[in-house]
Amino acid sequence: MGTANDSSKDISVRLAEKNPKVIFVLGGPGSGKGTQCEKIVQHFGYTHLSAGDLLRAEKNSGSENGIMIQNMMNEGKIVPSEVTIKLLQKAMLESGNDKFLIDGFPRNEENRAAFEAVTKIEPEYVLYFNCPEKEMERRILNRNQGREDDNIETIRKRFKVFLESSLPVIEYYKGKGKVREIDAAKPIEEVFEEVKDIFTPKVQNVEEGGCRCCAIL
Ligand SMILES: Nc1ncnc2c1ncn2[C@@H]1O[C@H](COP(=O)(O)OP(=O)(O)OP(=O)(O)O)[C@@H](O)[C@H]1O
Ligand SMILES: Nc1ccn([C@@H]2O[C@H](COP(=O)(O)O)[C@@H](O)[C@H]2O)c(=O)n1
Ligand SMILES: [Mg+2]
């Protein structure tokens, strides 16, 4: 017999019951999304889910989608949303947490619309790490993490996909007033100072009609 918590219950329903808080973390390849997410996790208690890392783990697990994922990644292309969303939902459900940094997702309009339709989750906001392409290229070529897609040919393809498919998603959220843009060209600690400002609740000034001791905006 099934119970309210059993695994036969639709994954989207079980996730909705968690009422998770989601922040999308976007920016070009090498803009520093992963680096800053690690710091946010340490300071603010979020769980970091990188769509790229989840896809790499799925590929390495010998899954039936492994070859397809590898081919798409080598070309810098975006894997069909169905695959990535399932991985994200599973990771969110398995986590004991209810607040998530979803890094590198949504990468295109298909990702965005499918996530909204399937999960019904609306992000709190989008953190956008804005960095010049030359600096991103320099960082990736120095990364040395053994990523197969960190070669100049694939990097150029990833930049093209970012401009053509991912920037429009950022524009979509700008239209909804949900983008928190960060100058990601600065050194790591300076970028994190800007990030901290966004994550730290503001105390309202007495002059603005708030109370210094208890008014959190
Ligand atoms: N502000 C920074 N200044 C200099 N180097 C940085 C900065 N932020 C990150 N790096 C370095 O740049 C490289 C890329 O950073 P990171 O992996 O965080 O980028 P990313 O946005 O997650 O990239 P991808 O989209 O390819 O996964 C890493 O080697 C990291 O140490
Ligand atoms: N939503 C996504 C995110 C990533 N991919 C694929 O993974 C590659 C690496 O992503 P990183 O965020 O780790 O740089 C990316 O180039 C895509 O091929 C995806 O398909 N969908
Ligand atoms: Mg990354």
Side-chain angles (χ1 to χ4, degrees), residues 27-98:
S31 57
K33 301 179 295 296
T35 303
Q36 295 297 324
C37 282
E38 276 180 32
K39 292 178 155 298
I40 299 166
V41 166
Q42 285 162 13
H43 285 76
F44 299 102
Y46 281 74
T47 292
H48 173 211
L49 299 176
S50 154
D53 287 350
L54 289 169
L55 287 166
R56 274 182 283 276
E58 179 71 358
K59 178 194 79 176
N60 293 333
S61 74
S63 108
E64 56 179 354
N65 288 319
I67 303 284
M68 180 274 290
I69 294 172
Q70 169 142 30
N71 290 339
M72 299 295 271
M73 280 184 151
N74 286 346
E75 289 301 311
K77 291 185 180 161
I78 308 302
V79 171
S81 302
E82 189 193 348
V83 173
T84 316
I85 290 171
K86 274 198 188 123
L87 294 172
L88 286 169
Q89 286 183 303
K90 186 165 174 284
M92 287 166 87
L93 262 183
E94 284 173 357
S95 151
N97 207 345
D98 63 355

Side-chain angles (χ1 to χ4, degrees), residues 144-155:
N144 284 327
Q145 285 177 359
R147 274 179 56 167
E148 279 180 41
D149 56 350
D150 280 356
N151 62 79
I152 193 63
E153 199 188 330
T154 310
I155 290 168

Side-chain angles (χ1 to χ4, degrees), residues 103-141:
D103 161 4
F105 185 97
R107 269 301 225 283
N108 61 10
E109 174 57 20
E110 191 221 0
N111 272 185
R112 187 202 65 71
F115 186 82
E116 191 180 304
V118 171
T119 68
K120 315 278 189 257
I121 295 170
E122 175 74 19
E124 302 287 310
Y125 54 83
V126 173
L127 265 189
Y128 167 38
F129 291 99
N130 191 357
C131 192
E133 200 168 289
K134 264 286 148 220
E135 173 64 10
M136 295 195 286
E137 183 179 302
R138 190 193 66 76
R139 290 180 188 175
I140 295 176
L141 291 173

Side-chain angles (χ1 to χ4, degrees), residues 24 106 112 123 126 169-179:
F24 288 147
R112 187 202 65 71
V126 173
V169 174
I170 294 165
E171 289 303 320
Y172 169 87
Y173 284 113
K174 266 190 188 158
K176 298 184 97 184
K178 287 207 159 186
V179 173

Side-chain angles (χ1 to χ4, degrees), residues 156-169:
R156 297 260 153 87
K157 291 179 180 167
R158 287 157 66 196
F159 285 153
K160 190 164 183 286
V161 168
F162 175 70
L163 292 177
E164 290 176 356
S165 304
S166 309
L167 270 181
V169 174

